[in-house]
Amino acid sequence: MNLKDLYIDFFVSKNHKQIPSSPVVPENDPSVLFNTAGMQPLIPYLLGQPHPYGTRLCDYQKCIRTNDIDEVGDTYHHTFFEMLGNWSLGDYFKKEAITWSYEFLTKTLNIPVNRLAVTIFSGNEYIPADEESYAIWRDLGIKEERIAKLADNFWIAGETGPCGGDSEMFYWRSNDPIPDTFDPDDERWVEIWNDVFMQYVKHEDGTVSELPNKNVDTGMGVERTVAILENVNDNYASSIWSDVISLISQIAKKPYEGNEKSMRIIADHLRTSVFISADNAGIKPSNTDQGYILRRLIRRAIRHAKSLGIDINTDWEQQIAKLILNKYSSYYKELETNHDVVLEVLASEKIKFNRTLEKGLKEFMRLTTNNQNIDGKTAFHLFDTYGFPLELTIELASEKGIDVDTEGYHEHFRAHQELSRARSAEKFKGGLAGNSEIETKYHTATHLLNAALKKVIGHEVHQRGSNITVERMRFDFNCDHKLTDEEKTSCEKLVNEWINQALPVTMCEMSKEEALASGAECMFIEKYPDMVTVYTIGDNISKELCGGPHVKNTSELGHFRITKEEASSSGVRRIKAVLE
Ligand code: SER
């Protein structure tokens, strides 16, 4: 049986309910591009909202971390990974969490205790040391010298939100003799699991207060743990990757040994691209947000395929993507449903990239007409705008007998990397709920647009997704045709009329049944707890189950304008709109 099944079975046997993986693109959370941890979709519940599946949950969650795209190529970085997790929402706490972690590691996975070590939170000026966890680990038989008390064992996603001290578990991943004493700085000890005891919430002003519940949030990375269990030091040599890598090696007609970096990059980037484009959010390669990440991943995979000598005009990427789709589709249904969408995304981006490369070649020739050397800025420009890897520029330059300032290129590259890191940090800092004034306005405008579409197109129209940034709102809905200009204008007119009527926006709490009976609109009924909040606009212009936040009166919205209407996926249209 594989790790995911073992994990879920284990926690189901401890009375947990398995919850489905959330999409990689967070629903209604514009502050992050992708889900980066298993707990992210659960934040509202960790903050106290009751979860419809109860107080003991477990899952495997699709996660994407893109800060380190350029690190991929070594033995352990991945842009996409699966995270196993179990949660207690005010149910069990440290004793059960730690005992079950220990039981799963040593009994289910048969990891020898001698290869394990743990850390606990050593406390700070506000929060005391976690002596309770220390005592639990000791009772389970972990030796004193294998428990490290550390000040940075405190976990939070980003800057604000639910958080708490944690206890991490480490595995001795080396054939060297296992030392008696655990040294957290020795990289042969690798972290395999993290139990976070989420009992606090950190606010924007930096203060920390107690949560209504004492929660547990745990996370175990599938890729790393599988590699450990299979006793390989290179994650890409584990069964998760071996078939993908051997297909790449077969296509390239080259062995993995000696070509590891490019092969890992192709394997990793294509897998992540498959998962992004299979997501129901309908992400396509573009120059912004998730679409830009998707574009970068596909193009980098193509560049490395080229460098391996693969003829990129063949269907090499389709073959690899198909293997990945088949491998995962029993766990993630959208991979089956959107199978053809994924293949199409890859094929058409490849064509676009090829064109860009051709243009890049022309640009290269233009820039070097007089055989002048290439400075760092130009080399970076060729990379950034035309996707020219430095190696390609060097190769072309050497054919012409000119030099490339590689040092200067790297300086520009680093500066660019820092900038994009700062941008993604900025994105995260926006706050997980995305509650700025303008986002709140867009949130209310979303309800108005939903109501207008029902009037203009028909009552069968329902929301299929939404995404709000400080610059615009995006709304997906089912509809079998492209909206006509009249339909778009009617929707705009209606929304603006409601804005001009200065309608009050009111919120009340009721049971889920009562809310549905009252005709309130909602996207995923199964996701809501028994008691729900319903926002009503005006008398009955719009009524939706929603967590908010919303403005108090529609007059606060300004003027509503649709900027774009397009297909999102089959049977789903997408409107982008702004408030001015
Ligand atoms: N949230 C914690 C982590 O990502 C435990 O799941 O490590």
Side-chain angles (χ1 to χ4, degrees), residues 111-402:
I111 294 179
V113 181
N114 194 30
R115 283 197 176 263
L116 292 176
V118 303
T119 57
I120 58 148
F121 181 51
S122 66
N124 59 28
E125 54 183 309
Y126 310 106
I127 302 167
D130 188 0
E131 295 302 339
E132 193 184 340
S133 295
Y134 182 82
I136 300 168
W137 282 119
R138 292 285 290 125
D139 283 350
L140 287 168
I142 301 288
K143 295 192 191 121
E144 218 174 295
E145 56 273 25
R146 286 285 178 87
I147 307 179
K149 300 183 177 182
L150 303 175
D152 61 3
N153 270 39
F154 194 86
W155 203 91
I156 184 163
E159 303 284 328
T160 58
C163 53
D166 64 6
S167 181
E168 297 171 8
M169 289 146 263
F170 290 75
Y171 176 88
W172 180 254
R173 185 189 194 171
S174 165
N175 295 327
D176 300 338
I178 313 173
D180 287 335
T181 304
F182 169 46
D183 171 6
D185 292 328
D186 183 334
E187 287 180 357
R188 289 171 292 183
W189 287 105
V190 290
E191 186 199 331
I192 45 174
W193 202 351
N194 187 10
D195 288 357
V196 186
F197 306 113
M198 287 197 162
Q199 58 185 123
Y200 305 104
V201 53
K202 190 168 174 203
H203 307 280
E204 296 248 321
D205 62 5
T207 59
V208 171
S209 58
E210 297 255 351
L211 280 171
N213 285 327
K214 287 185 173 171
N215 306 304
V216 174
D217 153 45
T218 90
M220 176 193 273
V222 173
E223 281 67 13
R224 188 185 290 178
T225 309
V226 168
I228 285 172
L229 295 173
E230 294 180 358
N231 202 18
V232 288
N233 280 324
D234 169 1
N235 282 4
Y236 290 86
S238 85
S239 56
I240 294 189
W241 297 100
S242 49
D243 50 354
V244 180
I245 296 282
S246 74
L247 178 61
I248 297 172
S249 137
Q250 196 185 315
I251 296 173
K253 301 191 190 71
K254 290 204 166 95
Y256 178 53
E257 294 70 33
N259 298 295
E260 290 91 342
K261 185 170 175 203
S262 288
M263 292 197 185
R264 288 172 189 152
I265 289 174
I266 296 170
D268 173 87
H269 288 11
L270 285 185
R271 184 177 71 156
T272 309
S273 303
V274 164
F275 274 94
I276 297 178
S277 39
D279 215 66
N280 287 324
I283 303 296
K284 298 279 182 299
S286 74
N287 288 332
T288 53
D289 296 339
Q290 290 95 345
Y292 180 57
I293 302 283
L294 179 58
R295 169 157 285 167
R296 269 176 75 189
L297 291 168
I298 299 176
R299 292 188 172 197
R300 190 153 181 253
I302 297 176
R303 288 206 318 262
H304 282 272
K306 259 180 179 292
S307 79
L308 284 177
I310 295 176
D311 174 359
I312 62 164
N313 294 314
T314 62
D315 69 345
W316 65 280
E317 89 289 353
Q318 304 278 307
Q319 292 181 45
I320 300 166
K322 279 182 196 162
L323 176 64
I324 296 167
L325 284 161
N326 289 340
K327 213 174 147 98
Y328 286 95
S329 58
S330 63
Y331 290 98
Y332 302 102
K333 222 180 142 359
E334 64 281 8
L335 261 53
E336 205 179 303
T337 335
N338 297 329
H339 180 273
D340 296 351
V341 175
V342 171
L343 297 180
E344 167 58 25
V345 163
L346 294 174
S348 64
E349 184 59 14
K350 186 173 76 176
I351 295 172
K352 281 196 191 125
F353 186 43
N354 255 338
R355 273 190 225 129
T356 316
L357 278 179
E358 270 169 35
K359 279 194 211 143
L361 212 51
K362 283 203 190 110
E363 176 76 352
F364 177 88
M365 293 306 172
R366 191 185 67 77
L367 289 166
T368 55
T369 342
N370 300 324
N371 278 348
Q372 59 272 57
N373 290 339
I374 297 180
D375 59 24
K377 193 170 169 205
T378 310
F380 184 73
H381 163 72
L382 284 168
F383 165 75
D384 197 35
T385 314
Y386 299 98
F388 263 43
L390 182 63
E391 299 71 42
L392 181 60
T393 306
I394 294 175
E395 202 180 302
L396 292 169
S398 81
E399 280 168 18
K400 287 194 119 196
I402 55 178

Side-chain angles (χ1 to χ4, degrees), residues 50 509-512 528-533:
E509 277 192 53
M510 55 181 90
S511 73
K512 193 151 80 172
Y528 287 87
D530 293 340
M531 285 303 287
V532 295
T533 49

